Amino acid sequence: MKLASLLAQKKPQIVDRWIKLLYDSYPPQAAVFLKKEKDKFDNPVGYSIARGLDKIFTALVQEMETEQLLAALDEVVRIRALQDIPPSQALAFLFLLKNIVREELAEEFEKRNLAGELMELDSRIDGLVLLGFDAYTKRREKLCEIRINEVKNRVSGLLRKSGLSINSI
Amino acid sequence: MDFFKRHFFVSLFAVLGLVTVAYFGSQAASLQVFFGVVVPYLAVLIFLEGLIYRIIVWARSPVPFRIPTTAGQNKSLPWIERDLGEQLDNPATFKHLVGRMALEVLAFRSLFRNLRTELRKDPANPEGDRLIHWSYKWLWLGAIAFHYAFLVIILRHLRFFTEPVPMPFQLLEHVDGFFQFFTPAVYLSGVVLVVAAFYLMARRITNPNLRYISLAADYFPLLLILGIGISGILMRYVYKVDIIAVKELALGLATFHPVVPAGIGAIFYVHLFLVCVLFAYFPFSKLMHAPGVFLSPSRNMVSNNRWVLHVNPWNYPVKFHHYDEYEDRFREAMIEADIPVEKES
Amino acid sequence: MAENYKNEFGVFAERPKVEKKYYNAKNIFTGLAIFLILLILPLAPNLGKTIPPPQRSLDTPVIQKLAEKDRKCLMPTDWMRANHMQMLVDWRDNVVRSGEKGAPNGRYFESPDGRKFLASLTNSCMDCHSNKDKFCDQCHNYVAVAPNCWGCHLTEGKTLAEAK
Amino acid sequence: MAKVPKPAELLPGLNFQPPAKGWMDVKPDFRPGTYCNPASPKWMEWISYPFPEKRSIPDGEWALPDNWQEIVLEGMEDRLNRFRSLKVFFDICVRCGACADKCHFFLGTGDPKNMPVLRAELLRSVYRRYFKKAGQILGELAGARDLTEDVIREWYFYLYQCTICRRCSVFCPYGIDMAEMTLLGRELLASVGLNIDWAMASVAQCYDKGSHIGATPQAFKDMVDFLAEENERITGVTTTPSYNRKGAEVLFVMPSGDYFADPGTFTMMGYMLLFEYIGLDYTFSTYAAEGGNFGWFISHEMGKRLNAKIYHEAKRLGVKWILGGECGHMWRVCNQYMPTWWGPVDFLEEPVSPITGTRFENAKVHKMVHISEFTADLIKNGKLNLDPQRNAHIKMTFHDSCNTARGMGIFEEPRYVINNVLPEGNFIEMPPNTIREKTFCCGSSSGINANENMELRMQGGFPRANAVRFVHEKYGVNHLGCICALDRATLPTLLEYWVPEVEVTGITELVGNALIFPDEIERTTDLRDRDLVGFGEAAEEDAEEAE
């Protein structure tokens, strides 16, 4: 796949743009002037997102197991899932990748005939989104689970005493 | 107009308005007595009275609990080592408390701790980019430069209020004007003050979070001080005034024999008026952080609560669940469970 | 269980009594006193005194010789008071640093009313104002400035003449 | 074609930028998962708190009393007169912003009102409006605003998004302590009937029965007896706890989390093993069965009402001094408030360790010793026979609990203990700016470790989890140690979400693992029934293989 090597080449630009877009597409409520780019990540959340997007992209370009792809998705999704927003909003960022790739590689698309490969990439991104839903649901479930676990933990001593294991109820 | 603009421009126009008032007001010779004598006396009066009043208001409330922020190992077992830093950050004796306060007041210790969380691009690092909480000293530097420049400037100005000028102030002036790259010699403190104030201003405006929390009460003093600094610099280097007359006026004020010599330039009155406004504004504003830091209970208390009793003047008895009530309620169950009780039935 | 208990809250509260007095008064007022003393200390020696401003003396042989109408400096007095230091430094720069060619009028300074002066502290200014201690120093000391003119320029009347 | 939103239009705020509207105009968004439920009237009645009503936040039923403004303002005036801290902290803030990115809630949620400076402004703006001339005249321009229902809702929302951890106070150039203002703000909320259920339930239970968990005396004894049996099963050593025993030398007080909830229970087992080993003459109390103090999370007075039991019981039982377990805010209360509340404690003696003879001079007024101080002293004097290899499966980092760190200053003792019970190299510190006095909070303390605000807690704890994750990934750390029962209750949940590979443990649990009793059975597992590395069957197998 020619596109794969191209994407790998352009990875830093694409991922940077992706991160930026994820931040910049917010309502222009706060016009930030004189703000340095790096400042946008000066919080653990920004860091995790940046790190997650990088992983997702790497996973997408290289042939990776679904497991790994899911793990990469989870990096970002576990943060989005906490913000109590519907999955559509939580996962919209994945689709942005399509545009970014097209814009970033516009010249190459003109020069070489990559239509077929592009289509394949698109469908891979679609697949990614579908996996994203899995990851999102998993995270929401995880939230419920830890809620329940915590309740159990609060009396876990009692449960242990009555011979019940935390996981058996 | 949004929140930021409202607060910023009101402050800006307020300062500009003050400048205008002083400029045109001092043109009329009849008002020079007002601007040169009445306003300064009034300002100092308000400053002193306000300051004392505010401190008295604070003093009226007790400090009920000993709540120092312990930023270092506390004094416990004798063999647990505490270096001097820890002894100061968690003072166990009055001596160390004095040290802590001195560091706080003179060196801005807490601000020196400032951190910034940041993503460091670090290709050499095998983990790639790292999120680090790194030590961020710019705010500290800006603040300390600002405050010390201000102090030096105030002390330097004492040459106008003393006759003969005591040696220390003369010396200070020589040091301040050490780099003679202009005539009259440029005072470093003036430059530092204006640069630092600009920095503090700029970070307030450009940092979105800071802009969000800033009020007119934050912009106004900064702009006022900038105005004072700039008018002072202009007066010294560009629009010169008769300095002998200025001293005559200042000395007159200081000795309570006020005189208003004729022919002092308007810029002097602008400068003086802004200073007076700052003095009068001081007790009613956040500038009270200067005396306030001495009264901050989380900094000015010895951390010795476990071995020296702290008394709360309004301590009052509270209702709590008494053991007797408790036992009455659970006696049977307790007896059954072999838990000792006071009364067997 | 505790129907009659009055706690700190709300309408049924019996507020804890806070005695009206100054707390930590000793420390606070000591601090305040120290501040006020520091404030007054530098001003104290002169409190209530009247300190006359320095009187510049124009009583020098050269000025005395001049006719009343010629007794005026190269610039108006007010201007001179505020700006003489700048003028002297400009002269110095022209003469010593840029050389005579650098100055528009060569070594000469033309006053607004058309009189020409040699641009020289020793030879022009101090010609009339030969009483440095009564003219220059008085004010300089008054406002505590120490101009570095005298590092190079000779001040004693005698040596002044010899240097000429 | 149907109108479908473009993906970019769907992206919600994540950029940590404050909104364009001024903060006075932005109302809190009570999304599920971000707030705590209001207290049920039952609990409030138990402890005679005002205005017990059924309230529901999503339905907008706040049930404020008619004269609520009057009550709040009078309450504020009263507190200004009682607490100089409040007056000074209200007056001297310069809004320099040094505290802003120090708050874990701000770092985790990006909500600008979680910057401590702005959280304080929420209160300050009302103070200016009603107690300062400038605010009365200039209104908004002076940063003042009316006390409206929206404001009181905002207080409720944000004052219960502060864990009273004091991290901001360390960095503030004037030592302004958001914790102090949060506490007093919560008192004001309580005065008009606004409390959160989780804290209130714990307080009422504790007040009524003796512990937050609401255990009756028999249930408490039952539970501790069971843990003693567990100890016997694992170590072969009989630990014999006594209850409400008069004449014991020491009263031991621990947070209730340590005897009801894992992993605190293992720490409890550790305490008992330790005391058995050194033969300490101690007793538990079913009445003062709670060291922790949720009351203090609501008001100073409630804190005092709950704290009363400890000295009261010590006096009744005639013990010489008190030993306190591993708990964060319990120790903040004990250190900062307890002696002041109860005056000279002349019915107890200056604590002296009966084993080493060490005089705890730093507690000579308080008469209460921290278990870490006590244990460190034992180890230092060589009184404990420890085998660190029994903790070889534990690679640990230490979380300084905010309350013991910034409200007491206990850093070295637990580290000393850890270094003596773990094999060398198994203790790894997190990055320096996230520990000790700069430690990040667990994100769930101060009574907000409820269930309904789980999303918020996960966000608030994220900076802590991030640092744990760092040492986990880099050094393979698999345990997070702490000396706080709330940490032991909330960090497992936090880590389960962010770093599921890491478990949470108390320090005395490790001591219990490592103690070598002369009469013990062969130890093959730790107190959690996990196989030890290099002991028992595993070791035998290894030996066989080697042959």
Side-chain angles (χ1 to χ4, degrees):
Chain A
M1 185 170 162
K2 278 179 280 177
L3 187 59
S5 62
L6 261 178
L7 287 174
Q9 235 174 34
K10 284 264 184 183
K11 180 183 148 182
Q13 290 95 314
I14 294 178
V15 172
D16 266 10
R17 228 167 128 172
W18 198 10
I19 297 169
K20 233 198 282 182
L21 211 64
L22 190 57
Y23 280 90
D24 282 346
S25 58
Y26 301 104
Q29 278 176 330
V32 184
F33 54 99
L34 290 173
K35 190 147 167 61
K36 285 190 212 110
E37 226 150 77
K38 63 169 188 194
D39 283 354
K40 289 182 180 167
F41 313 110
D42 59 8
N43 57 70
V45 176
Y47 166 63
S48 276
I49 298 239
R51 184 170 127 148
L53 292 185
D54 190 278
K55 271 194 191 168
I56 295 174
F57 188 78
T58 312
L60 188 75
V61 176
Q62 297 165 357
E63 291 296 325
M64 275 211 188
E65 299 295 317
T66 316
E67 294 281 295
Q68 284 166 292
L69 205 49
L70 264 174
L73 273 167
D74 184 55
E75 284 270 334
V76 181
V77 168
R78 67 163 102 178
I79 293 166
R80 310 287 276 166
L82 279 184
Q83 294 170 321
D84 194 49
I85 44 177
S88 59
Q89 290 182 14
L91 297 172
F93 73 96
L94 289 169
F95 285 114
L96 295 180
L97 194 54
K98 289 187 179 178
N99 295 351
I100 295 169
V101 170
R102 279 179 173 74
E103 282 163 28
E104 219 29 80
L105 297 179
E107 276 181 37
E108 275 79 1
F109 288 139
E110 293 242 323
K111 276 190 231 151
R112 308 179 209 184
N113 179 19
L114 292 169
E117 301 219 359
L118 192 62
M119 210 135 104
E120 197 190 319
L121 178 75
D122 279 353
S123 66
R124 287 180 68 135
I125 293 175
D126 291 343
L128 194 66
V129 177
L130 294 176
L131 282 180
F133 278 100
D134 292 353
Y136 180 87
T137 319
K138 242 197 194 147
R139 272 296 155 185
R140 293 302 300 180
E141 275 169 7
K142 181 88 191 172
L143 267 176
C144 293
E145 191 185 312
I146 61 173
R147 273 202 169 97
I148 295 164
N149 277 351
E150 197 180 56
V151 175
K152 288 192 216 159
N153 266 335
R154 278 174 190 153
V155 288
S156 52
L158 272 188
L159 296 173
R160 208 144 58 87
K161 179 164 170 281
S162 38
L164 289 168
S165 140
I166 259 272
N167 299 317
S168 65
I169 51 166
Chain B
M1 217 172 2
D2 66 24
F3 190 80
F4 156 69
K5 285 184 188 142
R6 224 161 35 230
H7 282 255
F8 179 75
F9 285 112
V10 162
S11 316
L12 185 65
F13 288 128
V15 174
L16 292 178
L18 292 172
V19 171
T20 319
V21 165
Y23 184 81
F24 289 107
S26 64
Q27 304 281 323
S30 56
L31 282 177
Q32 285 188 349
V33 176
F34 177 72
F35 282 102
V37 178
V38 178
V39 171
Y41 275 135
L42 210 61
V44 170
L45 206 67
I46 296 174
F47 171 74
L48 289 178
E49 250 189 82
L51 187 82
I52 292 168
Y53 171 74
R54 288 291 297 274
I55 289 174
I56 281 181
V57 168
W58 286 340
R60 286 255 182 207
S61 298
V63 180
F65 302 109
R66 204 197 293 275
I67 53 162
T69 311
T70 56
Q73 170 67 31
N74 68 353
K75 182 180 159 232
S76 63
L77 297 161
W79 50 269
I80 287 181
E81 281 174 29
R82 304 162 74 219
D83 58 27
L84 185 64
E86 279 179 307
Q87 293 183 27
L88 292 177
D89 281 340
N90 190 353
T93 62
F94 185 74
K95 196 176 80 194
H96 290 110
L97 175 73
V98 171
R100 181 185 206 183
M101 286 306 290
L103 268 185
E104 201 67 80
V105 173
L106 301 175
F108 300 1
R109 166 79 181 99
S110 292
L111 211 51
F112 194 70
R113 256 191 266 263
N114 197 19
L115 300 177
R116 191 81 172 272
T117 315
E118 192 177 82
L119 189 73
R120 278 274 170 91
K121 298 269 179 203
D122 190 0
N125 182 349
E127 296 144 47
D129 302 341
R130 284 176 312 151
L131 182 82
I132 52 166
H133 303 275
W134 68 295
S135 183
Y136 184 83
K137 303 272 185 268
W138 285 109
L139 176 59
W140 174 82
L141 192 67
I144 206 146
F146 178 82
H147 284 85
Y148 271 101
F150 214 126
L151 179 68
V152 169
I153 289 173
I154 290 174
L155 293 179
R156 229 180 47 206
H157 274 72
L158 283 174
R159 76 173 163 132
F160 293 111
F161 296 93
T162 51
E163 175 58 34
V165 180
M167 204 48 214
F169 301 136
Q170 292 199 35
L171 212 64
L172 181 76
E173 204 183 327
H174 285 305
V175 173
D176 199 8
F178 184 73
F179 298 99
Q180 304 196 334
F181 51 81
F182 196 74
T183 302
V186 170
Y187 287 137
L188 282 180
S189 54
V191 179
V192 170
L193 178 81
V194 170
V195 170
F198 260 117
Y199 163 74
L200 294 176
M201 191 80 212
R203 72 183 273 284
R204 240 181 224 296
I205 299 175
T206 55
N207 182 320
N209 288 324
L210 265 178
R211 194 175 41 187
Y212 193 64
I213 57 174
S214 293
L215 303 171
D218 299 312
Y219 300 117
F220 180 70
L222 266 179
L223 288 167
L224 196 62
I225 288 165
L226 270 177
I228 290 169
I230 292 170
S231 62
I233 285 173
L234 284 178
M235 177 161 48
R236 184 171 165 84
Y237 305 107
V238 187
Y239 307 112
K240 314 221 164 159
V241 296
D242 180 356
I243 204 154
I244 306 298
V246 168
K247 175 144 184 181
E248 211 184 323
L249 190 146
L251 211 50
L253 289 174
T255 54
F256 294 106
H257 290 290
V259 278
V260 182
I264 308 180
I267 183 125
F268 167 75
Y269 287 101
V270 171
H271 185 71
L272 180 66
F273 189 57
L274 293 183
V275 172
C276 291
V277 171
L278 184 68
F279 265 80
Y281 176 70
F282 192 98
F284 309 100
S285 66
K286 69 168 190 175
L287 301 178
M288 283 301 283
H289 66 265
V293 65
F294 291 96
L295 276 101
S296 174
S298 67
R299 289 289 185 274
N300 73 3
M301 304 186 90
V302 184
S303 174
N304 57 5
N305 215 32
R306 287 170 70 200
W307 67 92
V308 177
L309 188 67
H310 179 86
V311 178
N312 172 4
W314 50 260
N315 200 16
Y316 57 97
V318 295
K319 161 110 184 160
F320 64 94
H321 198 188
H322 201 272
Y323 177 80
D324 296 342
E325 293 172 64
Y326 170 88
E327 192 182 299
D328 285 347
R329 176 131 167 251
F330 294 108
R331 184 168 293 113
E332 271 173 40
M334 286 169 81
I335 293 170
E336 197 173 313
D338 281 337
I339 300 170
V341 288
E342 296 272 334
K343 283 185 272 180
E344 284 301 330
S345 59
Chain C
M1 126 186 113
E3 300 80 14
N4 301 322
Y5 177 55
K6 288 184 178 174
N7 60 17
E8 61 179 319
F9 289 127
V11 277
F12 46 45
E14 197 170 284
R15 293 257 157 68
K17 297 275 182 299
V18 186
E19 205 188 325
K20 270 215 182 283
K21 64 169 213 175
Y22 302 116
Y23 296 91
N24 310 90
K26 216 175 78 195
N27 295 339
I28 291 175
F29 290 120
T30 311
L32 202 58
I34 290 174
F35 173 73
L36 292 177
I37 289 170
L38 282 179
L39 206 67
I40 293 167
L41 203 59
L43 310 179
N46 292 331
L47 272 185
K49 285 187 203 160
T50 320
I51 296 171
Q55 296 301 322
R56 305 165 192 86
S57 163
L58 296 173
D59 181 20
T60 67
V62 179
I63 295 176
Q64 291 299 339
K65 265 183 241 165
L66 287 171
E68 191 70 33
K69 67 173 169 59
D70 290 334
R71 281 186 196 167
K72 56 181 177 183
C73 205
L74 61 174
M75 294 289 271
T77 310
D78 281 352
W79 191 92
M80 281 308 279
R81 279 186 188 163
N83 294 297
H84 66 276
M85 58 302 254
Q86 194 61 52
M87 189 176 78
L88 288 172
V89 166
D90 288 347
W91 287 5
R92 182 199 64 188
D93 286 356
N94 285 344
V95 174
V96 182
R97 299 208 175 149
S98 335
E100 290 173 25
K101 283 168 216 143
N105 293 317
R107 278 207 72 157
Y108 288 91
F109 176 84
E110 199 179 328
S111 68
D113 52 6
R115 291 175 296 153
K116 272 197 176 180
F117 294 89
L118 184 68
S120 164
L121 170 66
T122 324
N123 295 324
S124 296
C125 305
M126 302 206 50
D127 209 15
C128 290
H129 304 292
S130 52
N131 54 342
K132 171 174 170 281
D133 53 338
K134 293 243 169 66
F135 187 75
C136 309
D137 294 350
Q138 272 214 21
C139 294
H140 287 162
N141 290 342
Y142 184 58
V143 291
V145 289
N148 50 10
C149 310
W150 319 114
C152 306
H153 291 270
L154 306 170
T155 53
E156 293 301 318
K158 252 191 181 169
T159 42
L160 198 78
E162 279 168 20
K164 259 184 196 169
Chain D
M1 267 172 72
K3 215 178 165 198
V4 179
K6 294 201 180 92
E9 292 168 7
L10 280 174
L11 286 172
L14 220 193
N15 59 349
F16 279 52
Q17 299 303 330
K21 276 204 269 179
W23 57 267
M24 289 187 191
D25 301 322
V26 178
K27 287 172 191 165
D29 179 13
F30 283 91
R31 283 177 290 122
T34 59
Y35 61 89
C36 298
N37 291 337
S40 111
K42 177 172 79 175
W43 308 128
M44 291 164 68
E45 276 157 15
W46 279 23
I47 53 171
S48 357
Y49 257 46
F51 309 115
E53 299 280 348
K54 237 183 126 45
R55 297 181 169 86
S56 161
I57 286 169
D59 305 334
E61 281 170 29
W62 289 74
L64 290 171
D66 292 334
N67 60 340
W68 66 272
Q69 276 158 315
E70 199 185 316
I71 298 173
V72 169
L73 291 175
E74 266 179 33
M76 193 181 254
E77 192 181 0
D78 168 43
R79 278 163 191 82
L80 285 168
N81 287 333
R82 273 194 287 144
F83 293 85
R84 181 184 297 161
S85 52
L86 191 65
K87 257 187 197 167
V88 172
F89 293 164
F90 271 174
D91 283 341
I92 66 174
C93 177
V94 298
R95 290 169 293 277
C96 70
C99 57
D101 57 352
K102 309 303 180 290
C103 177
H104 52 282
F105 274 115
F106 176 64
L107 287 176
T109 63
D111 186 336
K113 284 185 186 165
N114 272 330
M115 292 188 271
V117 44
L118 197 47
R119 199 186 288 120
E121 287 289 306
L122 302 180
L123 295 161
R124 241 180 235 135
S125 53
V126 172
Y127 164 70
R128 290 198 198 102
R129 168 69 186 75
Y130 296 94
F131 297 94
K132 303 291 270 189
K133 273 279 172 302
Q136 283 164 4
I137 299 164
L138 291 173
E140 191 229 71
L141 260 183
R145 59 175 179 173
D146 290 336
L147 179 61
T148 62
E149 278 198 37
D150 279 332
V151 171
I152 205 91
R153 282 183 199 135
E154 202 172 39
W155 286 9
Y156 181 84
F157 193 65
Y158 288 104
L159 293 183
Y160 283 105
Q161 286 193 22
C162 166
T163 46
I164 315 188
C165 81
R166 292 191 129 189
R167 195 165 191 261
C168 47
S169 160
V170 168
F171 293 94
C172 176
Y174 320 114
I176 297 175
D177 185 8
M178 186 64 229
E180 186 82 355
M181 287 183 274
T182 298
L183 281 173
L184 294 168
R186 287 182 180 185
E187 288 185 8
L188 295 178
L189 286 174
S191 69
V192 289
L194 300 180
N195 301 283
I196 60 168
D197 195 56
W198 179 252
M200 216 49 174
S202 303
V203 169
Q205 297 275 20
C206 182
Y207 187 84
D208 188 48
K209 298 200 183 71
S211 65
H212 295 150
I213 212 87
T216 55
Q218 59 272 33
F220 169 75
K221 176 171 188 283
D222 224 24
M223 193 61 219
V224 178
D225 280 345
F226 165 70
L227 293 174
E229 281 163 29
E230 285 283 284
N231 266 339
E232 191 164 356
R233 177 177 66 79
I234 291 163
T235 64
V237 176
T238 320
T239 47
T240 46
S242 61
Y243 306 89
N244 301 6
R245 179 164 61 87
K246 286 192 175 178
E249 186 175 358
V250 172
L251 169 66
F252 183 68
V253 178
M254 69 264 112
S256 61
D258 280 356
Y259 51 86
F260 265 90
D262 295 337
T265 45
F266 305 113
T267 306
M268 184 76 182
M269 288 160 71
Y271 298 145
M272 287 194 280
L273 284 172
L274 175 69
F275 300 154
E276 186 64 33
Y277 184 91
I278 58 174
L280 185 71
D281 179 19
Y282 76 105
T283 181
F284 293 114
S285 163
T286 61
Y287 166 69
E290 178 65 85
N293 196 329
F294 272 50
W296 175 67
F297 296 149
I298 295 172
S299 84
H300 284 89
E301 182 183 290
M302 200 62 228
K304 191 178 174 185
R305 287 169 76 186
L306 295 190
N307 181 270
K309 293 178 186 176
I310 298 178
Y311 277 147
H312 189 59
E313 182 72 344
K315 191 175 184 181
R316 185 182 73 88
L317 297 178
V319 300
K320 286 186 180 156
W321 51 279
I322 307 165
L323 186 61
E326 296 179 10
C327 184
H329 69 280
M330 156 178 165
W331 272 101
R332 167 114 161 247
V333 171
C334 289
N335 177 46
Q336 291 187 342
Y337 303 94
M338 195 169 167
T340 303
W341 276 334
W342 308 109
V345 189
D346 39 20
F347 48 88
L348 296 179
E349 289 173 19
E350 187 178 329
V352 177
S353 169
I355 291 86
T356 65
T358 302
R359 220 164 241 289
F360 291 93
E361 290 190 2
N362 61 327
K364 76 177 171 215
V365 160
H366 185 206
K367 314 276 200 303
M368 187 162 171
V369 176
H370 192 287
I371 183 84
S372 288
E373 293 170 341
F374 185 70
T375 313
D377 174 59
L378 289 171
I379 295 174
K380 181 75 181 176
N381 285 293
K383 299 291 179 189
L384 302 182
N385 190 7
L386 298 162
D387 182 0
Q389 282 309 317
R390 290 183 185 169
N391 285 318
H393 56 302
I394 291 172
K395 200 155 196 195
M396 196 173 86
T397 189
F398 182 65
H399 162 67
D400 285 288
S401 311
C402 12
N403 281 307
T404 49
R406 290 180 284 257
M408 185 174 179
I410 182 160
F411 300 105
E412 293 302 337
E413 291 92 340
R415 283 179 170 79
Y416 181 79
V417 175
I418 291 167
N419 279 319
N420 278 286
V421 297
L422 278 185
E424 226 177 297
N426 275 25
F427 176 52
I428 287 143
E429 293 273 22
M430 283 182 275
N433 286 331
T434 69
I435 53 167
R436 300 183 74 97
E437 78 276 7
K438 295 177 192 134
T439 186
F440 275 117
C441 181
C442 61
S444 311
S445 180
S446 84
I448 64 168
N449 53 328
N451 225 261
E452 61 271 11
N453 60 338
M454 189 60 81
E455 278 90 340
L456 175 79
R457 289 172 48 196
M458 295 300 106
Q459 289 175 315
F462 184 56
R464 172 79 291 159
N466 208 46
V468 175
R469 190 172 176 197
F470 174 77
V471 284
H472 165 67
E473 284 175 357
K474 188 158 181 184
Y475 305 104
V477 163
N478 58 10
H479 278 74
L480 177 63
C482 57
I483 47 168
C484 173
L486 267 175
D487 277 335
R488 285 192 287 273
T490 64
L491 283 173
T493 313
L494 182 77
L495 295 182
E496 199 182 339
Y497 193 81
W498 294 113
V499 204
E501 301 86 355
V502 177
E503 289 186 54
V504 178
T505 175
I507 303 305
T508 313
E509 176 186 344
L510 306 183
V511 177
N513 276 342
L515 271 179
I516 306 170
F517 286 84
D519 52 346
E520 67 183 10
I521 56 171
E522 195 193 356
R523 298 275 275 272
T524 56
T525 66
D526 64 6
L527 298 181
R528 300 190 188 190
D529 280 329
R530 296 176 303 192
D531 286 333
L532 298 179
V533 180
F535 289 88
E537 279 175 34
E540 279 164 31
E541 275 169 30
D542 287 346
E544 276 168 30
E545 269 172 35
E547 280 166 21

